[in-house]
Amino acid sequence: MLSKTTEYAIRALVSVELNSRKGQRPGFKTIARDIDAPEQYVAKIMQTLTRFKLLKSVRGRGGGFFFTEDYQQDIFLYDVVWIMEGKTFFTRCGFGFKHCDANNPCPLHNEYEPIREAFTQLLKKETIRSLATKIEKGEAVLSRLSV
Amino acid sequence: MLSKTTEYAIRALVSVELNSRKGQRPGFKTIARDIDAPEQYVAKIMQTLTRFKLLKSVRGRGGGFFFTEDYQQDIFLYDVVWIMEGKTFFTRCGFGFKHCDANNPCPLHNEYEPIREAFTQLLKKETIRSLATKIEKGEAVLSRLSV
DNA sequence: TTTATTAAAGATATTTAGGTCTTTATTGCG
DNA sequence: CGCAATAAAGACCTAAATATCTTTAATAAA
C-alpha cells in the first residue's frame, strides 16, 4: 500500500510532534530511535520533508527539526503521501489496467473506486497532530515501545 | 497496493479465461500480448500459477494454459493475491507500525481496518470468471485495446 | 522418427527501493 | 576564534522486484 519510505516519513513527523510537545527539538538520531528506523535513511527522509516545507530544520549545536507555528496544525497525511508517493497514487488503477477511469473502467473499477476514495478521505482527515494526540491519550502506540 | 507481478497474474488469468471461451488454449506469448506485459516474465508467472494449481499447462505443439473443469469457477482474486503476495498482505499494518492490531492499535488502526476489510471482501467476491464476463459484456476492458 | 512447437527450469541482467558513508556547511558555546 | 554538534548533500552500496536469456523436457504432426 504505502512504501516503507512513506511509512517512515509519517512516523517521523509524529515523533517530531511528540518531542516538540515536550519542549524538545529532535535531531534525526532521536527520531530514528523513536520510530525504530535506520538513522541515515531517516536523515534523507527528513531532508525531503524539509525541502517540501512540511517542517523546518536548523543545523549546528542545538539544531534539529521542528514545525513552524502556521504549519503545525495543517499537516494532513494526504500531504505526506502526495509528497512521498506522487500524485498518481490517488488515481492509478489498483489492478494495473491502462486508462482505467469512470469512462473506461477496468473490470474492478466500480467496486475498487469507493475503497480507494475511503482511504483518500482518511488521509485527508487525519493529521500528524491528530495521530500524536491519540498516542498521548494512550489510545494508540507509535512504536513497539511507546515514545 | 498490489505488486506489478500480482497485477500481471490476475490479468493473465483473465486472458486465459477469455481465450478458452473462444475455444482456444493460449500460450504465454499470446497471454503476454493480451495483457501487454513482457513475454518471459509472464512465462515465469504462469509457472507459479501452475505450480499452485490455479490452472494446468501442457507443453509441446498445441500446448498452452487452461483451467480444469473443477477449478474454473472457483478462482477468487483473493486466492491469486494470497499466492503472489503472501498471507500477511491481509493483516499487516498499513502504516508500518509493529504489532498493530485491535489490542495494540496504531493511531490509524481503527479507521484503516474497515477499509482493508472492504478490499479483502472485494477480493473474496470477485473471480477470474466474473471479471471475464464483465469484459465480454462490454462493461469493462482488459487492456488499452480490448482483447 | 524427425522436426516444429511449446512450457519448465535455472542462470543472469537490469531497475528500483532501501540503506550507508563521507564530506561540507551551519550553528552555538567555551 | 576554535571546537563540538548538528543537518545537507552527494557518492556509494545492498537487497528486492522486475525482466531476459539459454537450455532442457514434453508433445503432436509430418
Side-chain angles (χ1 to χ4, degrees):
Chain A
M1 177 66 100
L2 297 173
S3 68
K4 219 166 174 179
T5 306
T6 302
E7 293 177 356
Y8 287 157
I10 291 172
R11 294 196 284 142
L13 288 166
V14 174
S15 164
V16 174
E17 172 69 16
L18 287 171
N19 275 282
S20 76
R21 288 184 188 185
K22 291 189 286 182
Q24 281 154 15
R25 173 182 292 183
F28 67 84
K29 290 179 188 172
T30 300
I31 297 167
R33 184 162 25 77
D34 276 2
I35 71 174
D36 194 21
E39 283 189 359
Q40 292 296 322
Y41 198 54
V42 168
K44 284 294 178 201
I45 292 168
M46 298 314 287
Q47 275 177 39
T48 302
L49 297 174
T50 303
R51 208 173 326 117
F52 278 91
K53 306 212 188 300
L54 289 196
L55 38 63
K56 294 228 171 195
S57 67
V58 290
R59 303 205 249 199
R61 228 174 222 261
F65 299 89
F66 60 99
F67 298 112
T68 55
E69 270 310 311
D70 14 338
Y71 275 108
Q72 186 158 223
Q73 317 220 29
D74 299 315
I75 301 180
F76 290 90
L77 300 194
Y78 182 85
D79 303 326
V80 185
V81 174
W82 203 99
I83 286 170
M84 305 305 289
E85 306 266 350
K87 57 184 165 185
T88 62
F89 180 87
F90 301 101
T91 54
R92 67 169 172 243
C93 178
F95 299 86
F97 294 95
K98 285 183 184 165
H99 308 302
C100 168
D101 57 32
N103 294 325
N104 206 30
C106 87
L108 292 165
H109 180 82
N110 293 328
E111 283 96 324
Y112 179 63
E113 176 57 24
I115 295 172
R116 177 169 65 194
E117 183 57 22
F119 186 63
T120 302
Q121 287 309 315
L122 169 58
L123 297 178
K124 281 186 172 173
K125 176 180 151 240
E126 296 286 335
T127 64
I128 297 302
R129 178 180 279 272
S130 71
L131 299 200
T133 297
K134 286 183 193 178
I135 291 166
E136 270 196 340
K137 283 187 183 166
E139 294 169 10
V141 294
L142 178 57
S143 183
R144 188 176 23 164
L145 310 166
S146 58
V147 175
Chain B
M1 176 68 100
L2 298 173
S3 70
K4 220 166 173 177
T5 306
T6 302
E7 294 178 354
Y8 287 156
I10 291 173
R11 294 194 284 143
L13 289 165
V14 173
S15 164
V16 174
E17 172 68 16
L18 287 171
N19 275 281
S20 76
R21 287 184 189 187
K22 291 189 288 182
Q24 283 154 16
R25 174 183 290 183
F28 67 84
K29 289 178 188 173
T30 300
I31 298 167
R33 186 163 23 78
D34 275 3
I35 71 174
D36 193 20
E39 283 188 1
Q40 293 296 322
Y41 198 54
V42 168
K44 283 295 176 199
I45 292 167
M46 299 314 289
Q47 275 178 39
T48 302
L49 296 174
T50 303
R51 209 174 324 119
F52 278 91
K53 306 213 187 301
L54 289 196
L55 36 63
K56 293 230 172 196
S57 68
V58 292
R59 303 205 248 197
R61 229 176 221 259
F65 298 90
F66 59 100
F67 298 112
T68 55
E69 270 311 312
D70 16 335
Y71 274 109
Q72 187 158 222
Q73 319 219 28
D74 300 317
I75 301 179
F76 291 91
L77 301 193
Y78 183 85
D79 303 326
V80 185
V81 173
W82 203 98
I83 286 170
M84 305 304 290
E85 306 266 350
K87 59 183 164 185
T88 61
F89 180 86
F90 302 101
T91 53
R92 68 169 171 244
C93 177
F95 298 86
F97 294 95
K98 286 183 186 165
H99 308 302
C100 167
D101 56 33
N103 293 326
N104 205 29
C106 87
L108 292 166
H109 180 82
N110 293 328
E111 283 97 325
Y112 179 65
E113 175 58 22
I115 295 173
R116 178 170 64 193
E117 183 57 22
F119 185 64
T120 302
Q121 287 308 315
L122 169 58
L123 297 178
K124 280 186 174 173
K125 176 180 150 238
E126 297 285 336
T127 64
I128 297 302
R129 178 180 279 272
S130 72
L131 299 200
T133 297
K134 287 182 194 179
I135 290 166
E136 271 196 340
K137 283 188 183 166
E139 294 169 10
V141 293
L142 177 57
S143 181
R144 187 176 24 163
L145 311 166
S146 58
V147 175

